[in-house]
Amino acid sequence: MAIINDHFLKLQAGYLFPEINRRVNAFIQAHPEAAPRLIRCGIGDVTEPLPQAAIEAMHEAVDDLATHERFHGYGPEQGYFWLREAIAKKAYQVHGIHVEVDEIFVSDGAKCDTGNILDIFGRGNRIAVPDPVYPVYVDTNVMAGNTGEAREDGSYEGLVYLPCTPENNFVPDLPQEHVDLIYLCFPNNPTGAVASRMELLKWVEYARANHAIILYDSAYEAFIQDPDVPRSIFEIPGARDCAIEFRSFSKQGGFTGVRCGYVVIPKELNGHDADGNKVPISRLWSRRTSTKFNGASYIVQRGAAALFTLEGMAQTDVLISHYLGNAALLLNACRQAGMRVWGGENAPYVWAACPDGLDSWGLFDKMLTEANVVITPGSGFGSKGEGFFRISAFNSRENVEEVCRRIHALFAQ
Ligand code: MLT
């Protein structure tokens, strides 16, 4: 008899985005005439072609594989030196942030990394997650057996939820209790909020005082426009001995379908064994990586490295400006329709309070059935997301302008 990991049985319903797709497909089956009008602003999936520099680099990489001289088989599990060096220099050192090449671990994306990181932490850690939250942080902790059962409102026993509300500008306050692992995500998915230097400093000080580790997801860093907003947790003094940073090329370079990201683990960062001895976290992650992963593909890494060339960076800027232009239009349309809105300025997500006394799924249904627009219900991100919804700015300009017209028609007086 094969015994399963019965922690999986605690998971609520499906993962959020497949669940949204299920509902959208059911609607389309019942109303096939609406299918051509449907505009998807639900999952944050990019729509625009990749930067030309990445395309050319990946074409060349394929050609390399067609030769004996430039053939590549297994690469280094932690990523090719030339990509790690480009990341260290162009994503960090150029901004005055101390990150070294051997502190970077290239992967197939931040979603996998934020889930896989739990492999190297033991049971019994007290874990804090924001609410609302990117569902991966919660569900992977459920799978790992780090929680108790689900409650009525979808939250899990055993996790420490950090409420993110309009009152704290969606930047969580420090917990009143001790925690060991803290998930933070800025620019935030789903709210689009950013944290100031002072706010992050508070978290770093808390983590250091509690020997806790911050799992800092900065997958949306490329969208930061405000020069005062920190781009990396490692801009904050003291963060090198209490934080891990996750980054991704998915949103920066349109790589959601290509798959490439990376984790930064400073050498100073230690966890503790059961006897309280310090153990370098990067040693464990490196060991895990070389056992369970054979590296992101050569072709993909060549594409990612091309994003750091002069042309690549200029083309990436154009891509980011396109999505931020969409976000500005959506923000404005929701505002003009009388909604309270957040995010959308340093992030590709607009977070809005549901109008007309609707709850999150009620608003989802209204948008789907009356406007044929797919959004993400805030309650799918946690109980504190109830009463809100998220619109993704990842779309063509034409579609976004149409969504704005439909929001106006549906809600503006
Ligand atoms: C989202 O829509 O929240 C993101 O696309 C999810 C992800 O990046 O995995």
Side-chain angles (χ1 to χ4, degrees):
M1 187 171 73
I3 308 290
I4 56 139
N5 173 354
D6 59 4
H7 297 302
F8 276 62
L9 304 180
K10 297 178 201 160
L11 290 164
Q12 294 297 285
Y15 183 62
L16 175 61
F17 294 107
E19 173 62 17
I20 289 174
N21 277 341
R22 196 187 60 72
R23 292 182 185 226
V24 171
N25 291 340
F27 170 72
I28 292 299
Q29 257 183 357
H31 303 278
E33 72 289 351
R37 255 177 65 83
L38 194 74
I39 303 179
R40 293 177 193 267
C41 296
I43 191 163
D45 193 5
V46 295
T47 55
E48 302 308 293
L50 299 181
Q52 190 58 27
I55 297 284
E56 283 166 16
M58 287 195 281
H59 277 296
E60 281 169 20
V62 171
D63 289 340
D64 287 351
L65 302 186
T67 68
H68 277 109
E69 298 71 34
R70 300 193 309 277
F71 183 77
H72 288 73
Y74 291 129
E77 292 89 352
Q78 291 78 10
Y80 284 101
F81 179 83
W82 34 262
L83 175 55
R84 299 167 86 199
E85 187 185 39
I87 294 168
K89 285 192 173 147
K90 306 278 178 56
Y92 291 102
Q93 293 165 6
V94 82
H95 301 295
I97 306 169
H98 175 196
V99 166
E100 293 169 25
V101 175
D102 57 359
E103 296 174 330
I104 294 165
F105 299 82
V106 175
S107 71
D108 56 352
K111 180 179 186 174
C112 318
D113 287 334
T114 52
N116 290 334
I117 198 74
L118 291 177
D119 274 5
I120 63 167
F121 292 106
R123 301 291 81 87
N125 283 314
R126 198 91 179 115
I127 296 163
V129 293
D131 181 7
V133 62
Y134 178 42
V136 172
Y137 313 153
V138 171
D139 286 4
T140 53
N141 273 291
V142 176
M143 292 172 183
N146 290 338
T147 73
E149 297 296 329
R151 302 190 188 99
E152 189 95 326
D153 65 359
S155 65
Y156 288 88
E157 308 270 356
L159 290 180
V160 175
Y161 286 90
L162 306 169
C164 300
T165 62
E167 289 68 44
N168 60 17
N169 279 320
F170 299 97
V171 177
D173 299 322
L174 298 179
Q176 296 305 308
E177 60 196 289
H178 168 89
V179 297
D180 305 291
L181 290 177
I182 303 151
Y183 289 84
L184 293 178
C185 171
F186 292 109
N188 186 257
N189 180 14
T191 65
V194 288
S196 69
R197 213 167 289 280
M198 284 310 289
E199 285 162 332
L200 290 183
L201 183 60
K202 270 195 315 198
W203 277 103
V204 166
E205 284 172 352
Y206 172 92
R208 297 186 68 183
N210 285 274
H211 301 291
I213 292 182
I214 297 173
L215 303 174
Y216 193 80
D217 184 349
S218 71
Y220 297 92
E221 160 274 335
F223 292 87
I224 295 174
Q225 303 298 298
D226 183 339
D228 292 333
V229 170
R231 309 182 81 87
S232 164
I233 191 70
F234 300 122
E235 287 183 42
I236 309 302
R240 281 182 58 86
D241 54 20
C242 68
I244 296 174
E245 181 156 291
F246 301 90
R247 284 203 182 178
S248 167
F249 295 104
S250 284
K251 314 294 156 84
Q252 174 191 349
F255 270 38
T256 55
V258 178
R259 309 303 310 147
C260 198
Y262 55 96
V263 184
V264 180
I265 307 183
K267 294 191 186 71
E268 293 92 316
L269 182 67
N270 291 301
H272 294 88
D273 67 15
D275 298 324
N277 301 310
K278 286 184 177 176
V279 180
I281 292 291
S282 64
R283 193 173 90 205
L284 302 185
W285 185 246
S286 185
R287 185 68 174 80
R288 184 227 172 255
T289 302
S290 46
T291 302
K292 290 197 175 182
F293 190 51
N294 269 327
S297 93
Y298 168 70
I299 300 166
V300 163
Q301 291 191 61
R302 284 284 304 275
L307 298 176
F308 292 107
T309 59
L310 279 181
E311 312 77 64
M313 288 193 293
Q315 292 158 4
T316 301
D317 283 350
V318 172
L319 206 54
I320 299 288
S321 301
H322 166 80
Y323 292 127
L324 283 175
N326 287 349
L329 292 173
L330 291 166
L331 203 55
N332 194 37
C334 290
R335 224 173 242 146
Q336 296 212 328
M339 298 177 201
R340 296 176 70 202
V341 282
W342 297 267
E345 283 170 353
N346 294 289
Y349 297 125
V350 171
W351 184 249
C354 301
D356 302 341
L358 289 164
D359 67 10
S360 295
W361 280 109
L363 189 284
F364 172 88
D365 286 339
K366 188 175 173 71
M367 290 285 278
L368 179 62
T369 57
E370 296 178 35
N372 303 143
V373 172
V374 182
I375 52 86
T376 308
S379 56
F381 297 105
S383 64
K384 289 284 184 287
E386 181 55 274
F388 297 89
F389 69 101
R390 188 192 81 174
I391 313 187
S392 159
F394 292 112
N395 223 311
S396 65
R397 183 57 50 87
E398 192 189 352
N399 275 351
V400 164
E401 285 171 351
E402 179 59 20
V403 169
C404 293
R405 281 191 285 276
R406 293 188 200 172
I407 288 174
H408 181 80
L410 204 55
F411 296 107
Q413 302 305 323

